[in-house]
Amino acid sequence: MKLVQVFALGVALFWAVGCGPSESAGGSEPKADAKVVVALLPKKKGVPYFTSCAEGAAEAAKELGIELIYDGPTSGDAAEAVKLVDQWTAQGVSAIAVSPNDPDVLGPAMKRARDQGIKVLTWDADAAPDAREFLVNQATPEEIGFGLVDAMAKDLGGDDATGEVAIVTAALTAANQNEWIKHIKTRLEKYPGLKLVATKPSNEDQKLAFSVTQDLMKAYPGLKGVFAISSVAFPGAAEAVKQAGKTGQVMVTGLSTPNDMRSYVEEGVVRSVILWDTRDLGYLTIQAAKALVDGTLKPGATRLKAGRLGEKQVSGDQVMLGGILVFTKENIGQYDF
Amino acid sequence: MSFVRSREFALALILAAMLLAAWRLDPRFVHPRAQMLLATHVWELAIVAVPMLLIVLSRGIDLSVGSTVALAGVCLGLAHERGAPPAVAILAALWVGAAAGALNGWCVARWGVHPLIATLATMAAYRGLAEGVTLARPISGYPEAIARWSQVPWPMTLFLLLAGAAAFVLARTVWGRWIVAVGYEERAARFAGIPVDRLKLALYTLSGTCCGLAAVLLVARNNTAKADMGMGLELEAITAVVLGGASIDGGKGKVSGLVLGLALIHFTREFVSWHWKRTELNLVVIGALLVAAVLLERALGSGKGSRRTS
C-alpha cells in the first residue's frame, strides 16, 4: 500500500510539474535557443531603484525582440548573486549584465561566464576590469557633484546664494562619495557666497546621519544647506532638519529615489533630489548588451546607437548614460519608483 | 521487500521523477556540464548537514550553524588580513568553529538548556559577534593556497569522507549506538551509564568544527569573508535532515537518507530558480519541502508504531 502511495506521489509530481507548463512553453522552445537572452542582475531585487531600472530594461528588450531575465538576490547577498550568474552561465545565455554588490565575490563568477563565451558587462556599479567588457555608467562624478551644487545654489536663491553649507557623506573611505565631494568643492568656487564648513561621515547609518546633522546645525548657526550624499544619509539629514523646525531655513539635497524622499519634498524640507534616469539606465544597459552580442559594440568603439536615447558616448570601456535628473515639488508626481 | 517500502526508495523515486520533469521542461538543466557548475553551491550545506543529522539523532538541534559559519569565516578573513599564513588562517577558522560549537554543547549538556533555546541564543550572538569584529565590512583577496579548497574535488571529497565516517560511526561503533540511545530515551541512556553529557558536548563541537570547514570552503569560493554569509543555512540543513527521514524527536535517521534529502533540496532549489527565474521562490520551496517531508513521514512511518510519547 505504501508503495502505491509513493508511486502515485511520484507520478503526480511528474505530471504536475513536467506536463503542465511544458505544453505552453513547448512551442517556443526551439525559438528560444536562437533568441538572444540577456540576464540583468540587480544588487538587490525588490528595491524601487532597481525595479524602475528593470522597467526600462523590459522596454528595451521588447523593442529589440530579445528575452530578458531579471532576477537578483532578495537579501542583497552577493553569494546568492553568484549562484544566479553560475546558473545563467550553465544555461548559456547570450549576455549577463551585473550590478555587483561586492565585486570581489562576483568577479570569479563573471570570469567563469566569460570563459564560456558569454558577454559580460557591468551596470550601475563596476567590477574589476578583467571581469567584464563594458561598464554602463549612469553619470560621471562630475555631473553628480556639479548637479548637487547647482541644485543647492538654486534652492538658496540662485547665483548670488550665500550661507554656510556642509556635507554629510557615507563613510570617509567611500570611493564614489569622495569623487563627488571633489567635484562639489570644484563647483562651489562658482558660487562665492557659499562656504563649505564641514564634511562629516554617517557610515551608511540613518540614525547617525540624523544626529550628525543635528550637531552641525548647533555648531554652525549660520548653516543654510546640507549635502546628504548617500541614499541613507539623505532621509536622516532631512528628518533632523524637519524635527529641528528649520524647514525652509536649512536646505537638504542629495541623491535618492523619488519615492524615498517624496514626503520631504512635499513638506518643503527638501527642494531638489538628484538622480539619473533609472529607467534610461536599464534601457541603455540592455541596448549595450544587445550591441555587445551583435558585435556592434566592441573595444575601441566611441558611439553606441541606443534606440530612443539616440547615440550615446562610449569612452574607453564605459558606455555613458549621462544627464542627471532633478526631482522637485513640481515634477516628482510624474515619477513612481 | 523492506527496501521498496523504505524511505530511501521513496526519496530516490521522487528525485528521479523530479529530474525527469526537469529534463522535460528544460533538457539543458540535466546536462552534466550544467550540473558540474551548479554542484559547487551545495557542499557547504552538505558538510553542515552531516553533524546536524547526528545532533537530531540525539534529539537535539543546532540553529546556530549559519551564524557559526559567518563567525568562523570572518575569523579566517581577519587572520589573513593580519598576515597569518593560509594554513594558520584556516586552522583559526576551524578552531573558532569548534569553540563556538563547544559553547553550544556546554550550554546544552552542562547547564541543561534546551538546545532549541541555547542555539537560538548563540545564532543571534555569533552573527552579532561576526558583524561586530568586522564592523560588517567584507574582507577580500585570498591567495591560491586558500582559494584552491573550493575547487574540484576538495569540497566533494571532504563531504564524502565526513558522510562515510558518520555512516561508519552510526553503524559500527558504540558511539553510534549511544547517539541513537540518547535520542531515543535520554534518561534510560543515563541510567545505562552512557556518558550523555560528554556525548552531547562532542556532537555540538563536531557541528561547530564542520561549520568552520564550511566557512573555509565558502570563503575560498567567494573570495570574501563577510558577516552575512551562511544566512539561512540552519533552515536548509534541518530540512535536508528531516527530508532524509530523520525524526526530529530523535533516535531515527540514516546517512543515506540525508544524502538523498540533500540531493532533492539541491536539485529542486536550483531548478526552481533556473526555470522560473525567481529567487524569492526559493524560500517558499524549501518551506514546502519541509512540509512535504513531514507528510511523507506520516504516510510512510505511522503504521509501524514508531511514534513515541514523551
Side-chain angles (χ1 to χ4, degrees):
Chain A
M1 288 309 247
K2 296 285 152 47
L3 178 63
V4 174
Q5 281 178 359
V6 170
F7 196 71
L9 194 67
V11 171
L13 189 78
F14 176 71
W15 287 112
V17 182
C19 224
S22 83
E23 273 166 16
S24 54
S28 62
E29 203 89 72
K31 255 192 288 168
D33 283 334
K35 215 175 175 184
V36 172
V37 183
V38 177
L40 185 69
L41 180 85
K43 279 183 186 159
K44 188 175 173 183
K45 199 179 179 184
V47 183
Y49 172 86
F50 284 111
T51 306
S52 75
C53 291
E55 284 167 15
E59 186 192 335
K62 208 173 153 200
E63 275 176 27
L64 295 167
I66 63 176
E67 190 186 330
L68 171 72
I69 302 172
Y70 174 73
D71 203 359
T74 43
S75 58
D77 182 1
E80 287 295 318
V82 167
K83 288 187 187 174
L84 287 170
V85 173
D86 279 346
Q87 265 192 4
W88 294 331
T89 306
Q91 289 181 17
V93 299
S94 325
I96 302 177
V98 181
S99 172
N101 221 326
D102 188 332
D104 290 317
V105 178
L106 275 152
M110 289 159 73
K111 277 182 214 158
R112 281 197 288 276
R114 288 192 72 180
D115 289 344
Q116 303 266 333
I118 294 169
K119 301 287 178 190
V120 178
L121 61 164
T122 48
W123 64 289
D124 176 67
D126 204 4
D130 63 336
R132 50 81 176 157
E133 286 179 64
F134 281 93
L135 159 70
V136 180
N137 201 342
Q138 55 271 39
T140 60
E142 187 179 355
E143 281 178 315
I144 293 169
F146 282 25
L148 283 166
V149 176
D150 291 344
M152 177 68 81
K154 188 175 139 262
D155 293 349
L156 292 176
D159 283 350
D160 45 358
T162 54
E164 293 174 336
V165 292
I167 298 173
V168 178
T169 180
L172 288 176
T173 52
N176 274 354
Q177 272 80 2
N178 284 348
E179 275 293 302
W180 299 342
I181 291 172
K182 203 174 84 193
H183 292 289
I184 288 175
K185 285 178 177 162
T186 313
R187 190 60 165 184
L188 277 171
E189 287 164 12
K190 192 188 160 200
Y191 304 99
L194 295 180
K195 189 165 157 265
L196 183 64
V197 291
T199 302
K200 296 279 181 200
S202 67
N203 295 337
E204 293 290 337
D205 178 351
Q206 195 164 330
K207 280 195 205 115
L208 188 60
F210 177 83
S211 61
V212 161
T213 310
Q214 279 185 328
D215 295 346
L216 281 170
M217 287 188 290
K218 276 186 211 129
Y220 305 99
L223 194 71
K224 286 276 183 276
V226 177
F227 297 102
I229 57 174
S230 94
S231 59
V232 181
F234 198 3
E239 187 61 32
V241 169
K242 183 181 154 187
Q243 288 194 13
K246 295 203 169 179
T247 300
Q249 296 165 41
V250 177
M251 282 299 147
V252 187
T253 191
L255 285 106
S256 188
T257 55
N259 278 359
D260 283 342
M261 298 307 291
R262 191 178 306 279
S263 63
Y264 294 112
V265 172
E266 278 163 2
E267 285 165 18
V269 183
V270 173
R271 284 200 193 147
S272 314
V273 178
I274 309 286
L275 199 69
W276 42 89
D277 194 314
T278 46
R279 281 189 66 110
D280 286 356
L281 178 60
Y283 183 90
L284 180 62
T285 303
I286 298 306
Q287 289 280 357
K290 176 74 168 35
L292 202 55
V293 172
D294 292 346
T296 48
L297 176 65
K298 48 181 179 272
T302 55
R303 321 285 300 165
L304 169 71
K305 267 210 198 98
R308 65 166 167 81
L309 297 176
E311 285 221 323
K312 283 290 173 188
Q313 191 199 335
V314 180
S315 54
D317 55 3
Q318 300 196 1
V319 180
M320 311 300 293
L321 174 65
I324 55 164
L325 207 59
V326 181
F327 303 109
T328 61
K329 211 175 200 167
E330 285 72 44
N331 72 359
I332 199 165
Q334 304 162 21
Y335 298 93
D336 182 24
F337 63 90
Chain B
M1 285 303 280
S2 71
F3 171 71
V4 175
R5 282 164 179 267
S6 73
R7 176 152 189 127
E8 287 75 40
F9 184 70
L11 281 172
L13 215 62
I14 294 174
L15 193 61
M18 209 234 106
L19 285 175
L20 211 60
W23 174 72
R24 285 201 49 162
L25 280 174
D26 193 340
R28 286 172 303 173
F29 181 75
V30 289
H31 196 283
R33 217 181 49 211
Q35 284 306 328
M36 280 285 284
L37 202 62
L38 299 182
T40 51
H41 303 149
V42 76
W43 302 117
E44 296 90 28
L45 167 64
I47 283 171
V48 169
V50 173
M52 184 71 87
L53 171 68
L54 300 182
I55 288 180
V56 167
L57 269 174
S58 79
R59 212 173 179 213
I61 200 156
D62 187 351
L63 296 178
S64 74
V65 287
S67 303
T68 308
V69 166
L71 186 60
V74 300
C75 285
L76 191 163
L78 287 173
H80 169 68
E81 197 180 44
R82 279 172 178 53
V88 175
I90 288 173
L91 283 177
L94 295 179
W95 186 84
V96 167
L103 184 62
N104 284 337
W106 192 269
C107 290
V108 172
R110 291 293 149 86
W111 296 339
V113 184
H114 192 288
L116 197 69
I117 302 302
T119 58
L120 186 68
T122 53
M123 170 169 127
Y126 295 159
R127 178 80 62 192
L129 206 57
E131 277 169 11
V133 291
T134 56
L135 304 171
R137 83 198 146 88
I139 304 169
S140 311
Y142 296 90
E144 183 52 31
I146 289 180
R148 70 150 180 252
W149 287 100
S150 69
Q151 280 149 21
V152 181
W154 286 111
M156 191 173 79
T157 312
L158 288 171
F159 167 69
L160 290 179
L161 284 176
L162 196 62
F168 177 79
V169 166
L170 283 179
R172 305 267 162 184
T173 67
V174 66
W175 276 76
R177 261 165 283 155
W178 283 353
I179 292 172
V180 175
V182 170
Y184 202 76
E185 185 56 75
E186 189 178 327
R187 267 159 60 89
R190 249 181 231 281
F191 288 137
I194 295 173
V196 176
D197 292 344
R198 249 195 316 147
L199 187 80
K200 284 186 177 173
L201 188 61
L203 284 180
Y204 285 91
T205 309
L206 175 72
S207 174
T209 315
C210 288
C211 288
L213 189 62
V216 174
L217 300 182
L218 205 57
V219 170
R221 179 154 65 84
N222 287 334
N223 190 28
T224 291
K226 210 166 158 223
D228 66 358
M229 58 197 254
M231 203 73 97
L233 202 59
E234 61 286 334
L235 175 66
E236 293 174 355
I238 293 167
T239 307
V241 167
V242 175
L243 201 56
S247 165
I248 206 78
D249 288 332
K252 188 161 132 322
K254 279 190 201 156
V255 175
S256 54
L258 172 69
V259 173
L260 285 164
L262 280 168
L264 198 57
I265 283 195
H266 170 67
F267 286 125
T268 313
R269 192 177 58 181
E270 293 292 337
F271 187 71
V272 164
S273 69
W274 170 293
H275 189 71
W276 284 280
K277 302 184 169 73
R278 291 193 163 274
T279 329
E280 55 270 35
L281 271 180
N282 272 354
L283 280 176
V284 181
V285 167
I286 299 288
L289 277 178
L290 194 51
V291 174
V294 175
L295 292 181
L296 189 67
E297 174 74 35
R298 199 171 291 174
L300 287 172
S302 55
K304 295 179 189 164
S306 61
R307 289 279 133 195
R308 293 177 291 114
T309 48
S310 57

